[in-house]
Amino acid sequence: MKRVSLFLMLALICWAACKPKGSNSHDNNNSQEQDSAIATLDLINTPYFYTRLKGTMDNKPITMQLLKTTPSVYRGYYCYDTSGQPITIWGNGDAGIVKLYEESIDPQNERFFSGSLDSTGHFNGHWHGNGTSYKFDLHTDMKDALPFAVFYATDSVNLIPGNPKSPLGMSTAGTIWPKPVVTADIAAFVEQQITGSTIQDPQQYLRKTIDSFMVNYKSIASSADSSELNDSSSMASWNWTNETEMRVVYNQWPLLVVEKVKYDYTGGAHGNWGATYITMDLSKKKVLKPSDVFKPGFKEAFVPLLEKAFRAKYRIDNDESIRESLLTPAITPNDNFILTGKGVAFSYVPYEIGPYALGQITLYIPFSEIKSWVKQ
């Protein structure tokens, strides 16, 4: 099949193919040099990037994990430092003027950041929501945080070669990758969690992700009923899409939490998607599970707390059964979790505990409510 290809592989110019040297994962001798280099990241002209921003909004300290992972699209998370609860943000921008919406279940009350990025690593403007607005002023702050470069690629293939109306299979992939200043042992550990393999090159990893979709698309399409490909409405169902992306959720030594988001459309009424989280203890080079953090019996103990969080998030009265909103009688902790310095969130992909319309359900419990269950 003739392939219509647009393969973009961009990263910071300073990224090198060689492995970074060093064995101390938290070397204070070069931390000032690293912080200085990262702080000069040009947020306007760098095609794809990750940065951690710190500052204030309404005079309250906040931290933002901001990524530009695809052309003109920004994604990430922010939290109030006092609560640690990660809030999803996404948006777009041009020439440094950016608008970032935050996750909300209330379509009548949009909440968003509107401001400007600059070439010295600053983001400032106004947050709007709840009938008011607050000034925010953030700056790049990578102290005790792992620095990443961002890579992006896309490719497509015609189902019917030579037919200008042919259905199209399209795949896009983005990933974060430790920068060369990260010491070799930590970089290797994080890369293995990102790829799930021994691949040591981000471009090779993205190419493998895209090629896997292409091979599957062509293989399944080869067995398609020819009548489907002669009918315009049926033909449209063969416009398949695959999107994968990685984001940083929390990044404060020794904890690093990354998110893998995957979306697939392979015909039907809607696509399927979901986000999985990897919580890492960098000091031990270990992927954490809830059982590593909480004492035995925590699952049963957290059930009422997760229900409480669900009711608060989706505004469900205490006299109403959650069974009317969910597919399960109770919400039990799973291994898809986010650990921050202030609490823990458990996340459930569509259909895991709720209908597709609810999307991904992420519920946060502050440590103040579960401190007796946290291991020393």
Side-chain angles (χ1 to χ4, degrees), residues 265-277:
Y265 176 76
T266 55
H270 57 72
N272 293 312
W273 70 280
T276 55
Y277 299 90

Side-chain angles (χ1 to χ4, degrees), residues 109-375:
N109 180 27
E110 288 186 336
R111 298 192 290 267
F112 60 90
F113 294 83
S114 179
S116 60
L117 300 171
D118 67 24
S119 59
T120 63
H122 283 77
F123 181 34
N124 58 76
H126 287 83
W127 178 92
H128 302 268
N130 302 328
T132 187
S133 66
Y134 301 116
K135 182 178 179 181
F136 69 87
D137 189 1
L138 309 176
H139 62 277
T140 295
D141 185 342
M142 296 297 294
K143 181 176 174 57
D144 294 328
L146 208 68
F148 290 97
V150 174
F151 292 80
Y152 168 76
T154 183
D155 206 351
S156 61
V157 61
N158 286 323
L159 178 61
I160 308 173
N163 185 339
K165 296 183 179 180
S166 170
L168 196 67
M170 177 171 287
S171 179
T172 62
T175 191
I176 56 175
W177 204 261
K179 287 186 177 181
V181 294
V182 178
T183 50
D185 56 342
I186 295 297
F189 168 69
V190 174
E191 289 165 13
Q192 203 280 328
Q193 308 316 315
I194 289 172
T195 65
S197 69
T198 58
I199 294 176
Q200 297 179 322
D201 180 86
Q203 297 185 4
Q204 181 186 354
Y205 169 61
L206 294 183
R207 185 71 261 174
K208 180 181 178 181
T209 301
I210 289 175
D211 285 347
S212 177
F213 168 78
M214 296 297 181
V215 169
N216 185 54
Y217 178 66
K218 291 186 288 185
S219 174
I220 295 176
S222 65
S223 61
D225 188 334
S226 59
S227 63
E228 293 184 40
L229 303 180
N230 293 323
D231 179 76
S232 58
S233 59
S234 298
M235 189 184 295
S237 67
W238 283 96
N239 287 316
W240 287 14
T241 301
N242 167 259
E243 300 172 6
T244 59
E245 192 175 337
M246 293 204 69
R247 306 164 193 167
V248 178
V249 183
Y250 187 81
N251 190 0
Q252 181 69 41
W253 182 269
L255 286 178
L256 172 68
V257 184
V258 298
E259 175 188 38
K260 289 186 176 183
V261 183
K262 184 176 182 180
Y263 171 85
D264 287 298
Y265 176 76
T266 55
H270 57 72
N272 293 312
W273 70 280
T276 55
Y277 299 90
I278 306 172
T279 295
M280 294 171 255
D281 182 339
L282 298 178
S283 64
K284 299 179 180 178
K285 294 190 286 293
K286 178 179 180 178
V287 175
L288 297 177
K289 294 183 178 181
S291 57
D292 296 316
V293 181
F294 303 109
K295 299 174 183 178
F298 77 92
K299 288 190 175 182
E300 295 79 8
F302 287 7
V303 168
L305 297 175
L306 288 169
E307 178 175 331
K308 175 184 173 183
F310 180 79
R311 289 182 181 278
K313 183 172 184 176
Y314 294 95
R315 301 175 184 175
I316 299 174
D317 294 334
N318 289 330
D319 58 357
E320 181 181 347
S321 171
I322 62 171
R323 284 297 301 269
E324 297 180 15
S325 303
L326 296 176
L327 304 176
T328 57
I331 306 173
T332 304
N334 61 8
D335 286 344
N336 197 25
F337 84 121
I338 299 166
L339 190 66
T340 76
K342 298 289 185 177
V344 62
F346 294 92
S347 194
Y348 307 86
V349 298
Y351 292 125
E352 185 176 352
I353 64 170
Y356 185 85
L358 279 185
Q360 183 111 2
I361 299 171
T362 301
L363 304 172
Y364 183 76
I365 307 174
F367 280 150
S368 60
E369 297 185 12
I370 53 174
K371 57 185 177 181
S372 62
W373 289 98
V374 180
K375 291 182 178 179

Side-chain angles (χ1 to χ4, degrees), residues 20-198:
K21 297 181 179 180
S23 59
N24 187 346
S25 62
H26 200 50
D27 190 348
N28 291 326
N29 293 331
N30 60 13
S31 63
Q32 290 183 343
E33 178 182 348
Q34 294 178 16
D35 292 344
S36 175
I38 295 164
T40 60
L41 179 64
D42 186 341
L43 301 183
I44 298 178
N45 299 309
T46 304
Y48 309 112
F49 65 77
Y50 159 72
T51 188
R52 189 184 70 176
L53 301 164
K54 282 183 169 290
T56 60
M57 181 171 73
D58 187 29
N59 296 318
K60 299 173 183 177
I62 68 171
T63 299
M64 180 179 290
Q65 316 289 341
L66 183 63
L67 300 94
K68 188 177 182 183
T69 55
T70 55
S72 300
V73 177
Y74 298 83
R75 300 186 187 278
Y77 285 83
Y78 88 95
C79 71
Y80 289 94
D81 291 353
T82 54
S83 73
Q85 180 174 357
I87 302 170
T88 305
I89 51 175
W90 62 273
N92 50 46
D94 184 48
I97 306 302
V98 176
K99 191 172 185 179
L100 301 175
Y101 295 91
E102 70 175 68
E103 179 187 31
S104 174
I105 63 169
D106 183 3
Q108 305 302 318
N109 180 27
E110 288 186 336
R111 298 192 290 267
F112 60 90
F113 294 83
S114 179
S116 60
L117 300 171
D118 67 24
S119 59
T120 63
H122 283 77
F123 181 34
N124 58 76
H126 287 83
W127 178 92
H128 302 268
N130 302 328
T132 187
S133 66
Y134 301 116
K135 182 178 179 181
F136 69 87
D137 189 1
L138 309 176
H139 62 277
T140 295
D141 185 342
M142 296 297 294
K143 181 176 174 57
D144 294 328
L146 208 68
F148 290 97
V150 174
F151 292 80
Y152 168 76
T154 183
D155 206 351
S156 61
V157 61
N158 286 323
L159 178 61
I160 308 173
N163 185 339
K165 296 183 179 180
S166 170
L168 196 67
M170 177 171 287
S171 179
T172 62
T175 191
I176 56 175
W177 204 261
K179 287 186 177 181
V181 294
V182 178
T183 50
D185 56 342
I186 295 297
F189 168 69
V190 174
E191 289 165 13
Q192 203 280 328
Q193 308 316 315
I194 289 172
T195 65
S197 69
T198 58

